[in-house]
């Protein structure tokens, strides 16, 4: 679903534009999907700028696409696009434009659930770039000291916009930066089952009251940082990662194990494509929000200026 959805986003963006600037997660889907799969419906999810799978898992497709178009049926009724979207209804804490700023709120959500003595786990996703922010350390330290039910998942796609992570840190594994006394595990982010297993173990630990875990999932994005940005990475490395495509890997495994047939996979694909196409059609005709929607968002909002944003 995540792959087909993102392909559609790119197609529409290149063809006629949408309000949101796509930051594609193509290539990284197994991290978000795998980490959410073993969770309960009322666990709290805190996505990174790129964890597209989180919204797709929890929110109705029509609402997500409306969010991308900035129209009134989106979860924030047009106040923000899906890129930084949250929804208390769907148990998703929205992130902000500040990389890493969602990590302390994630620990806060986990503290809340601990105080309420419920069984809910919080899972926070963030990139390798966000691991360079001070929030990484304050959130991990606080969560460890307080034994909070939270899982931190680094989506290490090896690049922070235009900077390779190897130029930013002197360690091979970012997990080695997390010297805060919590368990850490480096996992293959292209292997969805490995992500599921690691998250299931971390979730159990959190529910047992034993505290947080940090998972570092090694992965790669196939697209540039965002659609308007230049490509800084070399084609050979990209090709190596494409050879370990998470969806192809899992598809081959399922076929080898006779778990599904080619026909069944094609049928699933067709069904998804139809649902996605319908959601985009609905968003094309959805209305933009009323002017009042913008009140109390920005001080002294220039409504005319806002209207001038190209759809
Ligand atoms: C504090 C801060 N610095 C810089 C930026 C600009 N910026 C937006 S995304 C990004 C890269 C983030 O890299 P990473 O955390 O690895 O996530 P990825 O884009 O690779 O998924 C940067 C530098 C920002 N949004 N916030
Ligand atoms: Mg990155």
């Amino acid at each position: 679903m995540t792959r087909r959805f993102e392909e559609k986003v790119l197609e529409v963006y290149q063809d006629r534009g949408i309000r949101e600037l796509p930051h594609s997660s193509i290539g990284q889907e197994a991290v978000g999907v795998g980490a959410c799969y073993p969770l309960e419906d009322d666990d709290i999810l805190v996505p990174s700028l790129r964890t597209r799978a989180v919204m797709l898992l929890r929110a109705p497709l029509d609402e997500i696409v409306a969010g991308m178009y900035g129209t009134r049926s989106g979860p924030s009724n047009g106040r923000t696009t899906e890129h930084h979207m949250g929804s208390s209804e769907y148990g998703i804490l929205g992130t902000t434009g500040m990389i890493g700023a969602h990590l302390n709120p994630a620990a806060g959500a986990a503290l809340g659930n601990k105080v309420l003595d419920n069984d809910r786990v919080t899972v926070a996703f963030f990139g390798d770039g966000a691991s360079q922010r001070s929030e990484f350390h304050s959130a991990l330290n606080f969560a460890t000291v307080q034994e909070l039910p939270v899982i931190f998942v680094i989506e290490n796609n090896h690049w922070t916009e235009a900077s390779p992570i190897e130029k930013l840190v002197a360690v091979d594994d970012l997990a080695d930066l997390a010297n805060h006394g919590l368990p850490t595990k480096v996992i293959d982010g292209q292997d969805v089952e490995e992500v599921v297993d690691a998250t299931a173990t971390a979730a159990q630990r959190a529910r047992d009251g034993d505290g947080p875990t940090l998972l570092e999932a090694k992965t790669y994005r196939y697209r540039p940082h965002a659609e308007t940005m230049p490509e800084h990475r070399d084609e050979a490395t990209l090709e190596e990662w494409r050879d370990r495509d998470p969806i192809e890997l899992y598809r081959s495994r399922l076929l080898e194990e006779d778990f599904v047939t080619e026909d069944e996979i094609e049928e699933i694909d067709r069904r998804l494509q139809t649902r996605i196409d319908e959601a985009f059609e609905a968003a094309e005709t959805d209305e933009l929000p009323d002017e009042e929607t913008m009140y109390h968002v920005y001080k002294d909002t220039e409504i005319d200026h806002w209207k001038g944003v190209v759809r």
Side-chain angles (χ1 to χ4, degrees):
M1 171 60 125
T2 312
R3 174 69 56 91
R4 294 291 171 257
F5 174 80
E6 298 243 50
E7 286 170 349
K8 178 77 178 186
V9 169
L10 294 180
E11 181 194 312
V12 175
Y13 180 77
Q14 283 156 10
D15 181 47
R16 50 194 179 278
I18 47 179
R19 213 161 234 216
E20 177 166 316
L21 171 61
H23 289 63
S24 165
S25 78
I26 293 180
Q28 305 189 188
E29 298 93 336
V31 182
V33 172
C36 290
Y37 187 80
L39 301 178
E40 301 296 332
D41 287 347
D42 64 350
D43 287 334
I44 306 286
L45 303 176
V46 196
S48 78
L49 73 149
R50 214 176 286 284
T51 330
R52 206 86 317 115
V54 161
M55 283 306 278
L56 289 167
L57 203 93
R58 284 276 175 91
L61 202 50
D62 280 356
E63 285 190 30
I64 299 171
V65 183
M68 303 193 89
Y69 278 71
T71 54
R72 62 173 68 184
S73 304
S76 67
N77 308 111
R79 287 185 184 84
T80 173
T81 60
E82 175 263 4
H83 185 42
H84 295 131
M85 194 186 290
S87 162
S88 50
E89 193 183 345
Y90 305 127
I92 300 170
L93 276 191
T95 180
T96 77
M98 295 299 286
I99 294 300
H102 58 311
L103 297 178
N104 285 314
L111 176 64
N113 288 324
K114 184 174 176 170
V115 170
L116 293 170
D117 197 19
N118 60 31
D119 216 21
R120 295 165 88 177
V121 171
T122 298
V123 184
F125 299 87
F126 56 105
D128 42 290
S131 76
Q132 302 304 293
R133 301 278 301 167
S134 60
E135 288 90 337
F136 171 77
H137 295 286
S138 53
L140 262 61
N141 180 64
F142 183 71
T144 308
V145 169
Q146 298 287 334
E147 298 184 314
L148 300 182
V150 55
I151 307 171
F152 297 100
V153 181
I154 310 182
E155 301 161 329
N156 182 0
N157 64 10
H158 300 83
W159 281 76
T160 299
E161 204 167 313
S163 311
I165 191 67
E166 67 201 23
K167 293 259 170 71
L168 304 180
V169 295
V171 291
D172 288 334
D173 296 328
L174 297 171
D176 288 341
L177 301 174
N179 203 2
H180 294 284
L182 79 171
T184 65
K185 193 170 167 68
V186 180
I187 54 175
D188 178 1
Q190 306 309 89
D191 181 340
V192 73
E193 285 188 346
E194 192 171 324
V195 181
V196 170
D197 290 346
T199 319
T201 303
Q204 194 53 54
R205 177 182 148 80
R207 287 191 223 285
D208 288 345
D210 293 333
T213 301
L214 173 81
L215 303 176
E216 177 187 356
K218 308 272 195 191
T219 186
Y220 217 67
R221 56 174 160 76
Y222 295 176
R223 301 292 305 169
H225 173 75
E227 286 308 303
T228 48
M229 304 214 175
E231 182 56 85
H232 301 276
R233 304 164 308 159
D234 68 86
E235 187 54 38
T237 312
L238 247 170
E239 212 37 59
E240 275 170 32
W241 281 93
R242 280 201 204 100
D243 284 345
R244 296 201 64 253
D245 181 80
I247 293 163
E248 280 310 313
L249 284 178
Y250 197 48
R251 181 193 169 97
S252 319
R253 192 179 303 162
L254 292 175
L255 288 169
E256 261 165 38
E257 292 174 4
D258 287 330
F259 195 79
V260 283
T261 63
E262 291 274 7
D263 285 350
E264 283 166 333
I265 291 181
E266 269 174 35
E267 174 53 27
I268 292 170
D269 237 346
R270 259 196 305 275
R271 235 180 22 235
L272 291 176
Q273 198 63 59
T274 306
R275 275 177 60 198
I276 291 167
D277 290 345
E278 284 169 2
F280 274 79
E281 266 166 42
E284 295 269 353
T285 52
D286 194 25
E287 282 176 48
L288 286 171
D290 292 332
E291 284 183 4
E292 297 89 75
T293 310
M294 294 304 282
Y295 296 163
H296 313 298
V297 174
Y298 299 106
K299 190 168 179 296
D300 303 330
T301 302
E302 284 289 340
I303 298 294
D304 287 345
H305 182 226
W306 169 67
K307 271 187 177 164
V309 173
V310 178
R311 192 171 163 194

